[in-house]
Amino acid sequence: MIGLVYWQETAIKLAVILGVIPVTSLILVYLFLFKMMAFMQSRLGPMITGPHGTLQLIAEAIKFLQKEDIHPDNADKHVFALAPIVVLMSTFLLYVILPAGPDLIVEDLDVGIFYALAVSSLSALGVLMAGWASANKYALLGGLRAAGQLIAYELPLVLATMGVIIQAETMSLQGIVHAQANFSIFGLDSGMPFIFTQIVGFAIFMIAAQAELTQTPFDMPVAETELVGGFHIEYTGFRFLLFFMAEFGTAFAFAAIASVLFLGGWSLPFVDPNENWLNFVGPGVMLFKILILAAIIFWVRFTVPRLREDQLQKFAWKVLIPVSLVNIAVTGLIKVAV
Amino acid sequence: MSDLVRSYLTVAIFGAASIGLVGITLGLARILRPPTRTDNKQKLLAYESGVDPVGGDWAQSQIRYYVFAVLFVIFDVEAVFIFPWAVRLEVYGVFGLIEMLIFIVILLLGLVYAWRKGVLRWV
């Protein structure tokens, strides 16, 4: 790197991340929520605002900025106002450890993946605050459902990453990328993403991430047909937009974490991960992998009908958690034996 | 300043920046939006599909969420213990593996017990 002092470097990183988060939300919402969903339902989606409706979300954001900020009479004012900030903060902090190239990372924490999981569960707190402070029966039901769901699927999510950590012997996300670039099976010297050895972990991680993001089929907390809007029923205007942005920002971050853990992150096969030019190609490679994983998440969202609350809890506790514990044991066994 | 403290300083800065970002945008919204009109009291009622809310502000809810939360705490603590083990497994070798398998089996027994007791049934 060029000789920058810490404060200058941090300021640049902060500026980049402040730009990246809205852009990622824009890309995901436009590509998947507007266009892919529309095409899957034989519609065109937004077409008027900008070429093929590309500026639609910006128009929506400006609309939300102009809406009245209504706080219900009975709501707990301070908690009500604070809840969307907590949720957005959890999303924002996730971006600190996402790598996009050999040197392109805000802070390569030693406990990277542990930090990511810890920070992402902050959003459960924000959702519970929103549900409780609204003083609305639908919101309370939605908030409780969300909390129950987020904690139930937090466990398979955490346990599914364990197989990768055992293989990589590190929790740092950059370390995991390097471990995959240097990992070889079948005598191939090209580097091997962990999806080949951790396919079970990958499946569990993606299912749990779907639930953590409260996307259909796990969207009972915000189910329109039964709870109107769930925990964000009382939010209007910009505070609602914060929840919305956090949802898509987190979806992007989870897809990024999954692509680092299982698809090799920014590294390319047959390329030494220390090559300097990967700093330029890396972000593109990451974006490509993230969009593939996000496409899977939203494809499932638009195709599968909603589960019932009891089916959801049963699936987490009786299927995903035992399977992921067995996955850890088997991975550890192979690691020690080989 | 050590590297460890410095890296978490960055995290703290980012946390503060996220609050700042929200503050700025909410301030912008305050300038752009019309003042909230409160002459209509109906507007500030809780929205429950157009029907006036019945009963208190905070409804009672099922105890079952609490039971799942307690189960969660047990398994989350387990996960915290597995993390350092997973990083150092190569060093501990067979000894570490057997130790951890015993630990996991004990917790699995706990899950099976909860299962048999019907805790995992959503009633």
Side-chain angles (χ1 to χ4, degrees), chain A residues 7-53:
Chain A
W7 297 108
Q8 293 166 326
E9 213 178 287
T10 308
I12 294 172
K13 285 168 177 171
L14 194 59
V16 171
I17 296 297
L18 281 176
V20 163
I21 293 177
V23 170
T24 54
S25 300
L26 276 179
I27 294 175
L28 285 196
V29 171
Y30 176 72
L31 272 183
F32 300 120
L33 190 68
F34 287 165
K35 286 302 176 183
M36 190 167 101
M37 184 184 190
F39 291 154
M40 287 171 83
Q41 299 170 344
S42 297
R43 299 184 285 117
L44 282 177
M47 290 296 283
I48 308 292
T49 336
H52 286 268

Side-chain angles (χ1 to χ4, degrees), chain A residues 44-78:
Chain A
L44 282 177
M47 290 296 283
I48 308 292
T49 336
H52 286 268
T54 31
L55 301 178
Q56 180 67 34
L57 190 66
I58 295 172
E60 304 254 3
I62 294 171
K63 179 194 77 180
F64 275 118
L65 272 177
Q66 303 173 63
K67 293 273 183 187
E68 271 183 50
D69 191 24
I70 300 172
H71 293 222
D73 261 343
N74 289 332
D76 190 337
K77 293 275 182 308
H78 301 293

Side-chain angles (χ1 to χ4, degrees), chain A residues 6-7 10 13-14 17-18 65-74 85 88-89 92-93 96 106-107 109 111 114-115 117 132 135-138 140 144-145 151 154-155 158 162 165-166 169 171 228 233-234 238-239 242 309-310 313 317-318 322 325 328-329 332-333 335-336, chain B residues 6-11 13-15 17-19 21-22 25-26 28-29 32-37 41 43-49 53-54 56-59 61 65 68-69 71-72 75-76 78-80 82-83 85-87 89-90 93-94 97 101 104 108 111 115 120 122:
Chain A
Y6 172 73
W7 297 108
T10 308
K13 285 168 177 171
L14 194 59
I17 296 297
L18 281 176
L65 272 177
Q66 303 173 63
K67 293 273 183 187
E68 271 183 50
D69 191 24
I70 300 172
H71 293 222
D73 261 343
N74 289 332
I85 303 177
L88 193 79
M89 190 167 163
F92 203 86
L93 288 179
V96 171
V106 174
E107 206 59 68
L109 300 178
V111 291
F114 185 76
Y115 164 86
L117 295 166
W132 213 281
N136 180 315
K137 294 180 195 72
Y138 289 132
L140 180 62
L144 282 176
R145 280 184 182 189
I151 62 173
E154 180 85 23
L155 286 173
V158 171
M162 225 65 90
I165 298 171
I166 291 174
E169 295 172 37
M171 285 191 266
V228 194
I233 182 171
E234 292 292 358
F238 200 74
R239 286 182 207 280
L242 289 181
E309 191 66 28
D310 61 321
Q313 295 285 350
W317 291 98
K318 296 189 179 173
L325 284 175
I328 294 175
L333 215 78
K335 177 81 180 176
V336 170
Chain B
R6 177 159 286 191
S7 57
Y8 283 97
L9 180 64
T10 316
V11 172
I13 291 174
F14 270 69
S18 69
I19 295 173
L21 176 74
V22 173
T25 42
L26 280 177
L28 189 68
L32 285 175
R33 74 183 173 225
T36 310
R37 292 173 58 113
K41 280 289 163 202
K43 187 167 155 183
L44 299 179
L45 287 178
Y47 176 74
E48 292 181 355
S49 302
V54 178
D57 318 338
W58 280 278
S61 64
Y65 290 102
F68 277 97
L71 259 184
F72 167 74
F75 278 88
D76 217 29
E78 172 197 8
V80 170
I82 297 183
F83 268 110
W85 167 82
V87 177
L89 178 58
E90 190 88 83
V94 179
L97 185 71
L101 283 182
I104 290 178
L108 263 179
L111 185 66
W115 195 332
L120 300 184
W122 194 261

Side-chain angles (χ1 to χ4, degrees), chain A residues 267-279:
Chain A
S267 67
L268 288 166
F270 298 107
V271 175
D272 177 20
N274 295 316
E275 293 278 359
N276 198 27
W277 55 267
L278 272 176
N279 275 324

Side-chain angles (χ1 to χ4, degrees), chain A residues 151-219:
Chain A
I151 62 173
Y153 281 84
E154 180 85 23
L155 286 173
L157 194 77
V158 171
L159 296 176
T161 61
M162 225 65 90
V164 172
I165 298 171
I166 291 174
Q167 282 204 286
E169 295 172 37
T170 174
M171 285 191 266
S172 131
L173 290 188
Q174 289 289 40
I176 290 172
V177 173
H178 281 279
Q180 290 177 81
N182 300 324
F183 178 57
S184 64
I185 43 172
F186 315 128
L188 257 174
D189 202 24
S190 63
M192 192 65 84
F194 286 151
I195 186 171
F196 289 102
T197 49
Q198 289 292 329
I199 184 77
V200 180
F202 178 67
I204 295 170
F205 189 91
M206 289 309 280
I207 295 171
Q210 190 91 15
E212 287 284 303
L213 299 167
T214 59
Q215 306 283 6
T216 331
F218 306 108
D219 70 333

Side-chain angles (χ1 to χ4, degrees), chain A residues 288-302:
Chain A
F288 177 70
K289 288 173 179 172
I290 290 170
L291 287 184
I292 290 178
L293 290 182
I296 295 173
I297 291 175
F298 288 99
W299 182 14
V300 172
R301 167 179 172 158
F302 302 139

